[in-house]
Amino acid sequence: MSLDHELERAKIVLLTGGIVALPTETVYGLAAMINNEEALKKIFAIKERPFFDPLIVHISDLEQRHQVVSAWPDVAAFLAEKFWPGPLTMVLPKREDLNSLITSGLNTVGIRMPAHPVARALIEECKVPLAAPSANKFGKTSPTKAEHVRKGFEKEDIFILDGGQSEVGLESTVVEITEEGGSSIVTILRPGAITAEILEAALGDRGQPFEVRRKSSMASPGNIEHHYMPNIPLVIVDQEGAALKQRVRDEICKDFEMERNVRGAELKLDPNPRIAARSLYVRMRECSDTGASFIFVFRNPTQVGGLWDAIWDRLGRASSRTYRG
Ligand code: TXA
Ligand code: MG
């Protein structure tokens, strides 16, 4: 079936109060029109997502921001110009009449313009922004391919638009935009491909006072510690070397009440952080699918800064424990 035809069908699903799984450059999202409360409720029900976890609103052109936010500070305009369409979500004051299901009762809303042409085409067709969390059950690994969505919702009947593998592979960077004494404060609530370093460089070029702050993991509602969990335990091992030490293996088996010497699958990260990010969730799923009893990943102390921070943030949340080798 042609993409145009698929888009037309997706549009009809949305206009009649349904939800659609759509590709974005970060991860696949589960989308509803922001002005349809029934559809918004369906998102929470199907994902088994608690209502305290706010949704991100996706727009296809800058004009649409008026349907979502009530303020547009100069720094937001600057960051939008610089990084949209792309993997940056800005948390800004919400429009009063924006459905509070989207914002979990907060007076702010997360907004971004995705880069994936299929996502943008669908939003454009609907003429209404789409609220979309990642298309996975709450707390589970985000999907970066259409088949991940299909497998995650086998019992539910969800219309899925297939847009290939997500290019970035990690959820968007979430920043809160505030103002303190004439200075723009950009607080990173969730690290992503638009890194602290990239934001600092861009804002530095702008020549206005600013500060980029890195917040700890609990800063964002829904950004709870354990998240992105694969179906079997994932553990991080602080150890250099090619093989898992027997002592560590024994500890893992004991902690998770598994038979001694059950098989663990090693999650290997590509040395190129872009590729490591793109393939992270795919690899996690592959490791789960091998029939292994647990996944282990060696922490490489040189993998810090830039995109590595986002990759290790997700690994930290996906993991059950850290072991010292
Ligand atoms: O890349 C992405 O952002 C993907 C794609 C589909 O766009 N979406 C995504 O949505 O990752 P989700 O629901 O899995 O994560 C949204 C997170 C929330 O859990 C919360 O941490 C943060 O964004 N968030 C949303 N609105 C917020 C707000 N008003 N204040 C603070 N944090 C907010
Ligand atoms: Mg998510």
Side-chain angles (χ1 to χ4, degrees):
M1 232 175 294
S2 77
L3 183 60
D4 278 352
H5 184 83
E6 292 284 285
L7 271 171
E8 188 58 31
R9 278 183 63 196
K11 177 184 156 188
I12 292 166
V13 171
L14 289 172
L15 290 173
T16 53
I19 58 176
V20 165
L22 87 170
T24 88
E25 75 282 20
T26 57
V27 299
Y28 275 68
L30 205 53
M33 294 197 334
I34 58 166
N35 57 3
N36 191 310
E37 180 156 312
E38 282 316 304
L40 292 170
K41 283 186 181 154
K42 276 183 200 162
I43 288 182
F44 287 91
I46 281 192
K47 274 186 63 97
E48 296 160 24
R49 180 179 176 114
F51 286 107
F52 63 73
D53 193 0
L55 308 178
I56 291 172
V57 175
H58 299 70
I59 59 175
S60 59
D61 63 66
L62 272 183
E63 272 308 296
Q64 287 177 344
R65 73 176 191 272
H66 297 296
Q67 298 182 51
V68 185
V69 300
S70 61
W72 191 245
D74 288 349
V75 68
F78 174 82
L79 292 174
E81 163 86 38
K82 202 91 193 156
F83 299 112
W84 282 0
L88 180 72
T89 296
M90 290 195 268
V91 172
L92 289 162
K94 75 167 199 120
R95 247 182 87 128
E96 186 128 8
D97 59 0
L98 188 72
N99 195 310
S100 61
L101 277 177
I102 296 170
T103 57
S104 304
L106 299 169
N107 48 24
T108 54
V109 58
I111 182 171
R112 87 175 184 101
M113 190 192 291
H116 200 296
V118 173
R120 287 248 299 295
L122 183 60
I123 303 165
E124 212 172 289
E125 282 287 316
C126 293
K127 299 193 171 56
V128 172
L130 300 179
S134 51
N136 49 275
K137 294 268 182 188
F138 183 69
K140 291 290 181 188
T141 312
S142 299
T144 51
K145 291 180 178 185
E147 66 178 79
H148 297 162
V149 183
R150 220 166 280 130
K151 280 193 185 149
F153 296 98
E154 264 171 345
K155 292 193 201 78
E156 298 83 355
D157 184 24
I158 296 180
F159 184 84
I160 304 171
L161 272 174
D162 192 340
Q165 179 163 2
S166 297
E167 182 68 24
V168 176
L170 294 181
E171 303 77 3
S172 61
T173 305
V174 179
V175 296
E176 184 162 34
I177 309 284
T178 50
E179 180 86 15
E180 256 175 47
S183 189
S184 301
I185 311 295
V186 176
T187 306
I188 299 176
L189 304 179
R190 179 174 73 182
I194 308 296
T195 63
E197 293 85 347
I198 292 173
L199 288 165
E200 269 160 1
L203 290 164
D205 288 343
R206 179 168 170 254
Q208 308 270 341
F210 75 94
E211 192 188 324
V212 174
R213 291 184 188 158
R214 298 152 169 88
K215 263 272 170 77
S216 65
S217 57
M218 288 301 287
S220 203
N223 214 357
I224 46 178
E225 195 186 349
H226 283 294
H227 224 301
Y228 315 104
M229 296 284 254
N231 292 330
I232 51 173
L234 184 152
V235 302
I236 294 172
V237 184
D238 280 326
Q239 176 203 307
E240 273 181 67
L244 198 59
K245 288 180 182 160
Q246 187 60 43
R247 176 184 54 75
V248 177
R249 182 181 288 283
D250 288 346
E251 274 178 47
I252 295 169
C253 293
K254 187 165 160 271
D255 288 346
F256 293 96
E257 296 174 4
M258 297 179 296
E259 297 279 322
R260 195 160 176 263
N261 282 337
V262 290
R263 200 163 58 77
E266 183 182 354
L267 177 67
K268 290 200 177 90
L269 298 174
D270 193 280
N272 175 336
R274 274 177 190 275
I275 300 172
R278 186 179 309 145
S279 54
L280 180 69
Y281 293 145
V282 176
R283 296 245 173 120
M284 264 192 208
R285 285 165 201 273
E286 282 169 358
C287 287
S288 304
D289 291 345
T290 57
S293 298
F294 65 95
I295 304 171
F296 64 99
V297 54
F298 288 123
R299 189 193 301 279
N300 178 338
T302 66
Q303 291 172 345
V304 287
L307 194 48
W308 286 118
D309 289 347
I311 294 167
W312 279 98
D313 168 79
R314 301 309 190 280
L315 278 169
R317 290 166 199 279
S319 70
S320 304
R321 284 191 81 152
T322 296
Y323 293 85
R324 218 154 286 282

